[in-house]
Amino acid sequence: MRNMKYRPDIDGLRAIAVLSVMLFHAGISAFAGGFIGVDIFFVISGYLITTILISEIEGEKFSIIKFYERRIRRIIPALIFMMTISVVVFSYILIPDDLENFGQSIVATTFFSNNILLWMTAGYFDPSIDLKPLVHTWSLGVEEQFYLFSPILLIIAYKFWNKIGINRVLIFITVTSYIYCIYASTRFLDANFYLIFSRIWEIGAGSIIATQGVKAAAAKVDDKLAAALSNSGLLIILLSNYFYGFSEFNPNVFTLICILGICAVISLNRQGSLAYTILSNRTFVVIGAMSYSLYLWHQPIYVFTRVVSLEEPALAMFGIGIIATFVMGYISWRFVEVPFRDRDRIGPARLYVFSASFSAILIAIGLAMHFTSGFYSRWPELAKNDKDFGKGMNIAFNEAPYKYLDVQFDPDGPGKKVLVIGNSFARDFINMMDKTHRLDTNQVAYSDAKPCEIGNSEPYLTKISATADIIVMATKLNSENIPCIHQLREKLVTRDHTRFVVIGTKNFGWNNNAIMMLDPEVRYTYQTKVVPEYLESNELGLKSFEKSEYVDVLALISQREGYVPVFTEDRKFISQDREHLTPAGAKFVGERIFQGPILSAIRPSQKN
């Protein structure tokens, strides 16, 4: 059917890929660039799929139905198995906000579009990647989106231009995607990482070396030179696991080095070379055979390890997680992958019924998690004291201030004119005004412009800031955006009586799920440790701004240094996702920040 000679070294390369990703997600510093494992998978996929497609198209044996049937056999049963077990486990241990997000990921993953969901939510309600069971399925989305158009594109190219046409089309797509990737790597970071437009060049690189012309050229390379190039390629791949950890954006111009190394191994690796000997080692080959199932299972198991921990787990815990990954990976490979890939054991009809029915069930469960805001009714002890604990308590509450986006101040309106600039933290500030009755007697205008990317918002900001009494900037502070905030202040504060205020970063710990597993008497008075990166962000804010303009939120809500409460005094969640405020949390934090001299001019309504 495939007319392909089995290559154990490619399975070995798969093993390198999956081990890199597993060790990267475990947080091992030597594998800080281990995300390159996904890039390896992309190149391998491009090579294998294109080899099969070209062989079948040229032999006039291609069937698009059989092509997609093979893809379904390869991908969906093992994915459904992992997702089904994950649903059973995480439905019981995740709090509503995390469960709502998980439900959205279930639906997106089932439609192979989790990469799009992650891109759309990145930077806003993107709970820690470490607590997302299905975050790794973004790469499946990229691959499946490639599979949607690649067969048709290659058939058209072959029909009109024969073998040369296929090669030219692949080169054009690959080069165009790479150029876009370079452009997007410093401008559209999330889109560049998650979306197919800047990833297809990696798959395309594998596709190009699968064409007959490139294969023929590679076959003419002297054995010694081929060995040197394939050995160098493997060395580049291994070193990338460490050095790519220093790369700020990925993929980028330097990713090409690793991709070329992967292509060298695939196209030039031959028996007798060191690379072939290493990659054909039986251990690597076995791991490579199970690599898909291992990839599927490592993230849910790691997330489980983190979810049940009050603080970031010790490295030894991930050792247990790696063992568990191999156990579940073997079970998935042996009892799901292998049977479903055998057409004689499981025919097309059974395959389609199984895939369609379980996919429908998973989609229904995911939608239920979304529309019930994470099965909030499972927590009656929380809901009975909090009228806001229910639908819309999470993302919808934070997005409510969008109604103030780009509005104009009423010259004759009441109170202070407050211009709020920033991301979801800025919307938290507006919600704090609302829950402390300061929206009743003051005016608010909102801009979601980023400090370093004002762009089209500049005319609006320039105009409205001229009449603003207080300009509030609220975003997560870092060394990159603080200089931009200073520049923005100089640009917008044009009147002596206009005040510029920066709201400090806030955080409510590592993981609320584990806190909900504590005894109720301990749970509601528990003080959680602020995540170090937020403490560092706050220290940076304290050093970068004057005391008269910087609101140290962490200091105002902390009862002891470095620790913050999870619940209000009347047992209401302050934040579920550990960054953004619930209605009760907006009141809790708002009452504290508006008492200080910096924001005291924004007075509340007398009717509280």
Side-chain angles (χ1 to χ4, degrees):
M1 178 180 67
R2 299 192 178 192
N3 297 321
M4 287 184 64
K5 181 181 177 182
Y6 172 67
R7 288 186 50 184
D9 59 317
I10 289 185
D11 266 339
L13 196 56
R14 283 193 178 109
I16 298 294
V18 75
L19 291 174
S20 298
V21 174
M22 287 171 61
L23 295 172
F24 163 67
H25 281 153
I28 298 175
S29 57
F31 290 85
F35 49 77
I36 204 71
V38 174
D39 305 74
I40 298 173
F41 280 128
F42 285 158
V43 178
I44 292 174
S45 291
Y47 173 76
L48 295 177
I49 293 300
T50 305
T51 298
I52 294 169
L53 285 173
I54 290 176
S55 174
E56 293 183 346
I57 290 171
E58 291 180 347
E60 298 183 351
K61 299 177 182 177
F62 178 75
S63 165
I64 198 164
I65 294 176
K66 289 185 178 179
F67 172 80
Y68 287 122
E69 180 190 330
R70 290 197 298 268
R71 293 297 86 209
I72 291 171
R73 289 183 183 279
R74 179 73 176 92
I75 293 171
I76 291 182
L79 178 63
I80 286 175
F81 176 58
M82 179 274 292
M83 291 175 65
T84 301
I85 301 299
S86 296
V87 164
V88 172
V89 173
F90 289 111
S91 292
Y92 283 98
I93 64 175
L94 292 182
I95 59 175
D97 185 74
D98 289 334
L99 194 60
E100 178 181 356
N101 188 273
F102 179 51
Q104 295 163 358
S105 294
I106 290 170
V107 176
T109 297
T110 307
F111 285 111
F112 293 103
S113 58
N114 202 28
N115 60 323
I116 298 174
L117 174 67
L118 289 165
W119 162 64
M120 292 174 63
T121 59
Y124 289 83
F125 281 91
D126 184 13
S128 171
I129 293 298
D130 293 335
L131 297 177
K132 282 191 169 187
L134 298 179
V135 67
H136 60 319
T137 63
W138 72 268
S139 63
L140 299 183
V142 172
E143 288 200 27
E144 289 303 304
Q145 289 153 23
F146 167 75
Y147 297 148
L148 280 177
F149 71 82
S150 57
I152 298 172
L153 188 64
L154 293 185
I155 289 172
I156 294 173
Y158 183 78
K159 181 177 180 180
F160 285 96
W161 302 295
N162 212 304
K163 296 178 182 179
I164 296 176
I166 289 178
N167 203 38
R168 287 176 177 174
V169 168
L170 289 174
I171 291 173
F172 174 77
I173 292 174
T174 301
V175 172
T176 302
S177 173
Y178 180 64
I179 293 171
Y180 172 77
C181 172
I182 297 172
Y183 171 76
S185 63
T186 56
R187 293 172 175 83
F188 313 111
L189 308 187
D190 297 318
N192 186 56
F193 185 86
Y194 287 119
L195 300 186
I196 190 171
F197 310 111
S198 51
R199 289 288 186 175
I200 199 170
W201 71 272
E202 299 173 345
I203 303 175
S207 297
I208 290 172
I209 61 174
T211 58
Q212 299 299 330
V214 177
K215 282 186 173 183
K220 295 178 182 179
V221 176
D222 176 77
D223 285 346
K224 289 185 178 180
L225 178 58
L229 291 172
S230 61
N231 291 342
S232 298
L234 180 58
L235 180 62
I236 289 170
I237 293 168
L238 296 176
L239 291 177
S240 297
N241 275 277
Y242 177 74
F243 287 106
Y244 271 56
F246 296 98
S247 178
E248 190 172 359
F249 315 115
N250 187 70
N252 55 38
V253 63
F254 300 109
T255 309
L256 177 63
I257 299 172
C258 187
I259 298 302
L260 291 175
I262 301 165
C263 290
V265 172
I266 294 175
S267 60
L268 297 170
N269 209 16
R270 299 171 187 173
Q271 290 187 21
S273 70
L274 179 61
Y276 189 91
T277 302
I278 292 173
L279 295 175
S280 299
N281 176 276
R282 179 165 176 76
T283 300
F284 278 135
V285 171
V286 171
I287 293 173
M290 298 192 302
S291 60
Y292 177 55
S293 283
L294 291 173
Y295 183 79
L296 288 179
W297 277 100
H298 83 282
Q299 180 69 3
I301 289 173
Y302 288 1
V303 169
F304 176 83
T305 302
R306 293 182 172 107
V307 162
V308 298
S309 304
L310 287 170
E311 297 182 12
E312 187 168 6
L315 196 58
M317 289 296 295
F318 289 105
I320 299 173
I322 290 172
I323 294 172
T325 298
F326 272 93
V327 171
M328 292 305 300
Y330 175 78
I331 292 172
S332 174
W333 171 75
R334 177 68 178 81
F335 300 104
V336 181
E337 274 198 76
V338 172
F340 272 95
R341 292 175 71 177
D342 187 343
R343 206 167 190 261
D344 293 331
R345 294 177 64 177
I346 299 177
R350 289 177 63 193
L351 172 70
Y352 297 145
V353 169
F354 170 85
S355 300
S357 57
F358 272 88
S359 294
I361 292 169
L362 287 169
I363 290 169
I365 293 172
L367 290 174
M369 290 177 179
H370 170 73
F371 287 113
T372 62
S373 295
F375 296 151
Y376 67 88
S377 59
R378 291 191 305 119
W379 303 95
E381 76 274 20
L382 295 175
K384 70 179 181 181
N385 292 323
D386 189 351
K387 64 180 178 62
D388 294 310
F389 189 85
K391 288 186 177 180
M393 62 184 160
N394 303 322
I395 296 176
F397 176 63
N398 184 270
E399 291 182 343
Y402 269 121
K403 63 185 176 183
Y404 299 104
L405 184 67
D406 296 342
V407 302
Q408 300 293 331
F409 292 131
D410 179 358
D412 302 319
K416 298 295 181 182
K417 299 177 178 63
V418 184
L419 171 61
V420 183
I421 307 171
N423 56 15
S424 52
F425 282 11
R427 299 195 294 275
D428 269 342
F429 179 82
I430 296 174
N431 280 332
M432 285 187 259
M433 290 185 64
D434 180 28
K435 292 302 178 181
T436 57
H437 305 285
R438 284 169 169 79
L439 285 183
D440 304 334
T441 50
N442 299 278
Q443 298 183 57
V444 168
Y446 171 53
S447 170
D448 59 358
K450 297 179 181 179
C452 299
E453 300 176 26
I454 298 178
N456 295 332
S457 299
E458 186 169 357
Y460 169 75
L461 290 174
T462 301
K463 179 180 178 181
I464 197 165
S465 63
T467 59
D469 298 309
I470 300 174
I471 300 174
V472 176
M473 168 60 68
T475 189
K476 186 176 180 180
L477 301 174
N478 55 53
S479 58
E480 286 76 30
N481 63 25
I482 284 178
C484 298
I485 294 174
H486 283 297
Q487 293 172 13
L488 189 62
R489 176 182 56 189
E490 294 301 316
K491 183 177 295 185
L492 298 183
V493 179
T494 57
R495 300 186 303 168
D496 291 340
H497 76 274
T498 300
R499 297 198 60 186
F500 190 88
V501 178
V502 177
I503 306 299
T505 304
K506 60 188 183 303
N507 168 255
F508 296 89
W510 159 256
N511 169 31
N512 285 337
N513 298 283
I515 294 171
M516 290 305 297
M517 298 176 192
L518 297 173
D519 182 89
E521 295 307 314
V522 177
R523 173 194 310 164
Y524 296 113
T525 58
Y526 187 82
Q527 300 285 309
T528 188
K529 186 184 294 185
V530 178
V531 175
E533 70 174 275
Y534 293 88
L535 290 174
E536 294 168 6
S537 175
N538 192 52
E539 286 299 318
L540 195 59
L542 289 168
K543 293 176 182 177
S544 303
F545 300 101
E546 300 293 334
K547 289 184 178 180
S548 60
E549 65 181 2
Y550 183 73
V551 179
D552 186 350
V553 177
L554 290 178
L556 291 170
I557 64 177
S558 298
Q559 297 178 2
R560 56 180 173 135
E561 188 175 355
Y563 288 82
V564 293
V566 178
F567 290 92
T568 64
E569 292 87 345
D570 52 352
R571 298 187 170 189
K572 297 176 182 177
F573 255 124
I574 297 174
S575 170
Q576 283 203 54
D577 72 353
R578 303 160 298 281
E579 285 190 339
H580 305 90
L581 300 173
T582 64
K587 183 174 185 292
F588 175 86
V589 179
E591 287 175 342
R592 286 153 178 78
I593 71 169
F594 288 117
Q595 287 178 357
I598 298 177
L599 294 171
S600 60
I602 306 177
R603 300 187 181 280
S605 166
Q606 297 301 312
K607 299 178 181 180
N608 290 359

